[in-house]
Amino acid sequence: MTEFHIIGGEFIGDYLSKHHDVVTDIVKNTYLHHHNGNTENPDSYFLRFRDSPSDRIIALPSAIYPEETAGIKWIASFPRNVEHNLQRASAVLILNSLATGYPYACLESSLISANRTAASAVLGAYWMNRQSRTTPSIGFVGAGVIARTIGNFFVRQEWKINDIVVFDQHTDSADHLVNYLCDAGQHAYTASLSDVLACDIVIFVTTASTPYIETAFQPHQKVLNISLRDISPDVILASQNICDDIEHCLKASTSPHLAEQRSQGRDFIDGTLAGLMTGQFQVREDKPIIFSPFGLGVLDLALGKYLCQQAIATGNALTVPGFFAETSRW
């Protein structure tokens, strides 16, 4: 009998808040599966709207063979939501069986997306920082949900940080993030954009659509280019660069994509985070290093399947009777 389950955000949020190391391990292992060719992760598909060009809904289909699961994340990004104190992003994840193709679960996925993004960012910071969880300063450019989740991962993974510096054009958002981090025991404060850009680890989590960072970073700095479009091509070209997937990252007018167009080549990219983790190249001493993760659907899929299993095992999945009216041919 084919069953269909719904897993809501209340269970997902509670579980994720207690299992940061599990999430990071899932993200790390999924990157390695992808690196080894054990996934399908085609291009994302963008639905845009004629009267609201900043809004979009994105479909990210994917499959992981070791997990025997396929699926699709359907995530909306409506930046103007923040003007009404609504979160910018909302999402669902559908899981499908590789044996029959039948969908078997629907999960609230904005929390999954935020947590896999944060785990990816902090994993990248760890490897760019030569597998050390100590840094003098971290700077956030942008202070929304993703910034808060990344900050939480740094805290939960017990990074030793002297200062966390925050800049956001919306000063109330910056204040909220600072208060959140201070409540978590960190020394955090708001500052100018230039002060944030001087930090040892700089994290871009904005809704910028075109580059505005024109000043090169210093060789000791590590940059998490999460929002992908803040940094000018010249700054990218003056840095060591890694991606989660090169083909995916060099699309859609991301900063690395613009750098490819400027340089007419891809020599400025050393490889992927999985390549760094497996020793295919090393962090250089003479250049800053930038990690640009496009955001792979396989990460949502792997984390979503794990959460589905946990929800079913603990009685926190809603099984929908009769969701499939018919499954037999005759």
Side-chain angles (χ1 to χ4, degrees), residues 245-285:
D245 181 289
I246 295 172
E247 290 296 331
H248 282 78
C249 193
L250 296 181
K251 289 183 173 71
S253 297
T254 65
S255 295
H257 185 205
L258 298 178
E260 179 191 31
Q261 294 173 335
R262 175 74 58 87
S263 65
Q264 296 296 300
R266 298 181 173 185
D267 291 344
F268 63 94
I269 296 180
D270 283 54
T272 64
L273 178 57
L276 179 60
M277 291 190 293
T278 56
Q280 293 186 354
F281 61 93
Q282 304 295 322
V283 176
R284 295 174 56 170
E285 299 279 356

Side-chain angles (χ1 to χ4, degrees), residues 6-148:
I6 297 176
I7 296 98
E10 184 175 357
F11 166 78
I12 290 171
D14 182 66
Y15 193 92
L16 291 174
S17 70
K18 300 172 182 175
H19 296 88
H20 294 82
D21 289 341
V22 172
V23 176
T24 301
D25 286 343
I26 290 172
V27 167
K28 179 181 178 181
N29 290 334
T30 305
Y31 274 143
L32 295 174
H33 283 315
H34 185 67
H35 181 73
N36 292 328
N38 294 321
T39 66
E40 303 290 347
N41 202 103
D43 287 345
S44 303
Y45 299 90
F46 288 73
L47 174 64
R48 299 186 185 276
F49 309 96
R50 67 186 67 178
D51 296 326
S52 51
S54 65
D55 299 334
R56 62 190 187 272
I57 309 178
I58 312 168
L60 292 85
S62 59
I64 307 175
Y65 294 117
E67 300 291 340
E68 298 183 352
T69 297
I72 189 165
K73 180 173 76 168
W74 183 238
I75 181 166
S77 175
F78 280 51
R80 291 174 297 176
N81 281 357
V82 299
E83 299 171 10
H84 308 287
N85 198 31
L86 286 174
Q87 294 188 12
R88 174 186 59 84
S90 57
V92 294
L93 175 69
I94 301 293
L95 303 180
N96 296 74
S97 165
L98 280 186
T100 65
Y102 272 81
Y104 63 87
C106 176
L107 297 86
E108 196 287 327
S109 199
S110 66
L111 293 171
I112 294 173
S113 186
N115 277 265
R116 66 86 154 146
T117 299
S120 171
V122 177
L123 185 67
Y126 173 72
W127 282 91
M128 290 193 298
N129 202 38
R130 292 181 172 81
Q131 300 175 64
S132 169
R133 291 190 174 92
T134 299
T135 186
S137 58
I138 292 178
F140 283 94
V141 183
V145 171
I146 300 298
R148 182 184 70 201

Side-chain angles (χ1 to χ4, degrees), residues 14 16 70 88 120 131 139 150 161 193 222 232 243 310:
D14 182 66
L16 291 174
R88 174 186 59 84
S120 171
Q131 300 175 64
I150 292 173
I161 309 160
L193 177 60
K222 296 89 183 171
S232 74
C243 305
Q310 298 304 309

